[in-house]
Amino acid sequence: METVLSILCGILAAASIYLMLAGNLIRFIFGLVLASNAVNLLIFISGRLSIFHPPLIPEGRAISEMPMANALPQALILTAIVIGFALLTFVFILFYRAYETLGTIDTKAMRFAEPVEKKDVSDTNAMEGNRL
Amino acid sequence: MNWLLVLPVILPFTFAAVTLQFRNDFRQQQNLSILGALLHCGACLYLLVYVRQNGMAVTQIGNWTAPFGITLVADHLSIIMVAVTGILNLSVTFYSKAEINPNLLKAGYHPLMHILIGGVCGAFLTGDLFNLYVWFEVMLMASFGLLVLGQKKQQFDGGVKYVMINLFATLLFITGLGLLYGLTGTLNMADLHLKVQEVTDKGLLTAIAAIFMVAFGIKSGMFPLFFWLPASYHTPPVAISAIFAGLLTKVGVYALIRMFSLVFTFDVAYTHGILLIAAILTMITGVLGAAAFNEFRRILSFHIISQVGYMVMGLALFTPLALTGSVFYILHHMIVKANLFLISGVTGKSGGSFELAKLGGFYRSSGFLAILFFIPAFSLAGFPPLSGFWAKMILIRAGLEIQSYAVAATAAVVGLLTVYSMTKIWGEAFWKPKPEATNVEINDKGETTGFWMFLPIIILATLTIIIGLVPEPFLKMAEQAAIELLDPNIYVKAMLGEI
């Protein structure tokens, strides 16, 4: 089971990196979704998977005598999912606003903060970029 | 529970909530924000004094004992960072009273700033790796918001790149964290130090160490992972870029120092060897990048990178003197760098541009400002008797001490090249006469260069001079921090009790 999930994790990670490097904001978001899922899955596996050792303690005992599965990774993933979801919402809005303002989703065309150097110093584009 | 440790984290969040309530009353909001920054600064400095007198302070949140709950720890490294954060926050809050206009206030400048500071302090104080991740996220979230505040074209452009790479770095961080947990079964940093020694497969650990190195390397702007920094830091309003320049990359450096002195010390020759090479290249590329540009804030942004190289170099050499130098360098750099950004704001506001070609004549028109620029600029370059001189000297000496002549030489040469950039700014913005043909309207002087702009610059410049003239107490502090970093048993004992 762990092997299968590890491979799945690797495929997700590879696909996400491919998407993130595509130079397109929409693809980047999809890549990000995949990447965060891959990472969550990875934490999940790192807690070791087992269906034979539920983390349940018999009544009247303080600790379990049997080895039991680790439940902490689930808690960690939950936190990571919540944070990831918030970030994703923000990224969606930011990219949409960026598209509205800049008029492009091609990252190569986004040279407003670092305008291409021109010999003429009074280039209007560069000036606009650096005025207060 | 020791409430002193909680204060630097909880005060900013309280004031974020309070200032949000006053979002329609700008005057009140600003006053409350200054009150919040004052209280926070006071709490941070008091904690510094407390730790100096009583040694490392530890508190278990919710009284959950150490390896299970979240622990806040204030050792000397954390406390130096927190104290400087308090000072910077106060200075920038003063400055924002002059710079931040109602539009930005309406968009939530003050609440976001307080959340950012709370996140940064949390990251410095936590003793739990997952908690560190959460603080990173809190800090990032606030910084995303601040970076695009004002909604200019270049801000969106810089912001998109900043968000992309930082999210990726965070994902790498949590990947490393998950793998490390799978290997050791703990997330408490002191416990990690012990458990890592029991791991038999050191190869896996080295791989995890590399993941952490890349994640924190992106955050701190190390070579070759720094490109997001000069793409974004010059775009937001000056108060925001000053606090970013002073704090954010240093959180990355802090995390690097913490992890690579406490957890990943099993193969110092390998991991710290990579760090050393990266540090050297960071120093060189940063300073050369700065030489290529003619825009005030972009030059300064590149200098952040080259300075991060010095800090990582101290960590990579991993001797008591080198770590002392590293900590001292961070202390000096945070103050100086934030100050330089604030000064760029003053010249930018009264000159109407950040382009050096369009600035000029400040030496003639405002001699006082020229002196105020002179202090942090030449401290950054490492002129005696300013704070940067001591910082660079300790690091170079640490390099010579262990016969790393190439490293020491690089550090010295990069210092020299820093002088080049600083004299470029000096010559262009201050010395040369004001260019005639400026089609940018020059703001009325009385309105723009007010009391609230100069107050923080004077405070920070004074601190630079004090550190330069009386380095002894600051050096003692950095030395103590280095001792604690090199002997993790002190940290472990304080956090987990007697073993």
Side-chain angles (χ1 to χ4, degrees):
Chain A
M1 194 62 186
E2 281 166 11
T3 326
V4 177
L5 279 178
S6 305
I7 293 169
L8 177 64
C9 200
I11 293 172
L12 281 179
S16 76
I17 286 176
Y18 174 77
L19 283 172
M20 282 201 257
L21 291 178
N24 177 315
L25 291 189
I26 302 294
R27 285 188 175 203
F28 181 85
I29 293 183
F30 291 141
L32 196 66
V33 175
L34 282 187
S36 62
N37 283 334
V39 172
N40 289 341
L41 205 57
L42 182 134
I43 301 173
F44 185 59
I45 307 165
S46 76
R48 305 295 187 278
L49 300 174
S50 152
I51 50 169
F52 303 111
H53 309 290
L56 299 172
I57 299 165
E59 225 177 318
R61 299 270 176 81
I63 49 163
S64 166
E65 287 162 351
M66 305 280 286
M68 58 180 198
N70 191 342
L72 189 68
Q74 271 92 325
L76 298 182
I77 295 170
L78 199 63
T79 318
I81 288 176
V82 173
I83 294 176
F85 189 65
L87 284 174
L88 200 65
T89 321
F90 179 83
V91 170
F92 265 112
I93 296 167
L94 175 74
F95 283 9
Y96 179 65
R97 291 285 291 120
Y99 167 64
E100 270 191 337
T101 323
L102 307 177
T104 177
I105 51 166
D106 180 11
T107 46
K108 283 202 186 66
M110 296 169 74
R111 296 295 307 240
F112 299 92
E114 295 175 292
V116 185
E117 289 282 322
K118 289 200 180 116
K119 290 283 166 263
D120 187 9
V121 191
S122 62
D123 173 36
T124 49
N125 205 3
M127 253 171 57
E128 191 192 20
N130 295 306
R131 202 182 297 166
L132 259 181
Chain B
M1 233 174 102
N2 189 346
W3 277 95
L4 256 185
L5 273 166
V6 187
L7 279 181
V9 183
I10 211 161
L11 269 177
F13 284 109
T14 313
F15 274 89
V18 170
T19 48
L20 197 61
Q21 301 307 313
F22 286 86
R23 61 187 173 279
N24 293 320
D25 187 350
F26 299 145
R27 183 170 281 274
Q28 286 292 350
Q29 195 193 31
Q30 262 165 347
N31 291 339
L32 276 169
S33 198
I34 288 179
L35 175 70
L38 269 172
L39 285 176
H40 179 249
C41 187
C44 293
L45 291 178
Y46 185 70
L47 186 58
L48 175 73
V49 174
Y50 179 84
V51 171
R52 282 300 285 159
Q53 280 168 355
N54 303 317
M56 204 181 286
V58 176
T59 194
Q60 318 284 355
I61 300 296
N63 283 336
W64 288 88
T65 42
F68 305 111
I70 291 169
T71 316
L72 292 187
V73 196
D75 66 344
H76 273 79
L77 176 63
S78 306
I79 200 56
I80 289 170
M81 309 289 277
V82 168
V84 183
T85 305
I87 294 167
L88 287 190
N89 180 29
L90 185 63
S91 313
V92 170
T93 310
F94 283 151
Y95 188 88
S96 64
K97 202 169 155 66
E99 197 214 0
I100 302 300
N101 60 36
N103 268 336
L104 301 180
L105 289 176
K106 208 172 235 163
Y109 167 82
H110 282 300
L112 280 175
M113 201 60 136
H114 282 293
I115 294 173
L116 179 80
I117 299 297
V120 169
C121 286
F124 287 151
L125 286 174
T126 187
D128 181 276
L129 203 54
F130 194 79
N131 200 227
L132 181 66
Y133 159 74
V134 175
W135 289 125
F136 261 111
E137 295 282 17
V138 170
M139 183 184 94
L140 272 183
M141 211 52 172
S143 73
F144 292 164
L146 284 170
L147 195 60
V148 291
L149 216 61
Q151 311 200 342
K152 292 207 190 71
K153 253 187 175 179
Q154 67 271 28
Q155 274 181 295
F156 275 117
D157 186 11
V160 163
K161 286 161 192 169
Y162 176 87
V163 166
M164 278 176 167
I165 190 72
N166 272 294
L167 283 181
F168 185 71
T170 317
L171 282 175
L172 270 183
F173 178 13
I174 196 168
T175 309
L177 190 150
L179 291 171
L180 196 58
Y181 181 78
L183 217 54
T184 59
T186 182
L187 290 169
N188 179 292
M189 291 187 196
D191 204 25
L192 270 175
H193 169 72
L194 300 174
K195 293 277 162 61
V196 155
Q197 293 165 3
E198 294 164 14
V199 175
T200 42
D201 197 344
K202 293 290 189 235
L204 277 178
L205 265 184
T206 313
I208 295 171
I211 292 177
F212 273 97
M213 203 188 286
V214 174
F216 294 145
I218 293 175
K219 302 269 179 203
S220 54
M222 267 166 65
F223 180 88
L225 311 161
F226 63 80
F227 293 98
W228 57 273
L229 196 155
S232 57
Y233 269 29
H234 64 288
T235 59
V238 174
I240 295 172
S241 56
I243 205 89
F244 279 21
L247 292 181
L248 293 195
T249 46
K250 262 53 74 183
V251 182
V253 175
Y254 166 82
L256 264 182
I257 293 180
R258 183 62 83 210
M259 289 309 283
F260 284 86
S261 68
L262 190 61
V263 181
F264 300 121
T265 48
F266 49 88
D267 192 358
V268 174
Y270 183 73
T271 48
H272 291 60
I274 296 176
L275 279 175
L276 189 60
I277 296 167
I280 291 173
L281 290 172
T282 311
M283 283 193 273
I284 297 171
T285 43
V287 86
L288 291 183
F293 283 98
N294 281 308
E295 206 256 47
F296 208 139
R297 284 200 285 176
R298 289 177 87 175
I299 296 177
L300 294 180
S301 299
F302 270 102
H303 273 296
I304 299 176
I305 298 162
S306 99
Q307 315 272 304
V308 163
Y310 280 99
M311 299 165 201
V312 178
M313 168 191 149
L315 168 67
L317 292 175
F318 214 56
T319 64
L321 191 64
L323 275 169
T324 308
S326 199
V327 175
F328 192 87
Y329 206 103
I330 295 174
L331 169 73
H332 133 81
H333 168 89
M334 285 166 90
I335 294 169
V336 163
K337 188 50 90 180
N339 199 8
L340 279 171
F341 269 87
L342 293 182
I343 292 167
S344 84
V346 176
T347 59
K349 198 133 200 181
S350 48
S353 171
F354 286 108
E355 283 295 334
L356 289 182
K358 299 203 192 76
L359 291 172
F362 283 106
Y363 183 68
R364 188 174 288 265
S365 70
S366 174
F368 186 50
L369 183 66
I371 296 172
L372 284 181
F373 170 77
F374 196 84
I375 294 164
F378 288 90
S379 170
L380 191 76
F383 275 41
L386 297 161
S387 58
F389 168 70
W390 303 107
K392 285 210 168 78
M393 196 189 78
I394 299 166
L395 278 174
I396 292 173
R397 238 190 89 186
L400 293 176
E401 215 170 52
I402 52 168
Q403 275 102 43
S404 301
Y405 296 116
V407 183
T410 318
V413 171
V414 169
L416 210 64
L417 286 170
T418 312
V419 183
Y420 167 72
S421 292
M422 288 303 130
T423 43
K424 186 166 74 182
I425 298 178
W426 174 258
E428 289 278 322
F430 288 88
W431 227 351
K432 128 190 136 187
K434 181 119 194 85
E436 294 288 325
T438 40
N439 46 2
V440 188
E441 81 278 22
I442 291 151
N443 293 319
D444 187 35
K445 217 181 147 205
E447 172 205 350
T448 52
T449 52
F451 168 74
W452 292 108
M453 276 192 156
F454 276 101
L455 178 67
I457 296 176
I458 294 169
I459 294 174
L460 294 178
T462 316
L463 264 175
T464 311
I465 297 177
I466 291 174
I467 298 175
L469 292 180
V470 200
E472 189 67 20
F474 300 96
L475 264 180
K476 277 262 156 55
M477 226 152 47
E479 228 165 52
Q480 185 60 33
I483 292 171
E484 288 170 0
L485 286 173
L486 278 173
D487 184 5
N489 287 328
I490 305 174
Y491 189 89
V492 174
K493 211 181 246 172
M495 205 195 257
L496 301 176
E498 299 297 325
I499 316 145

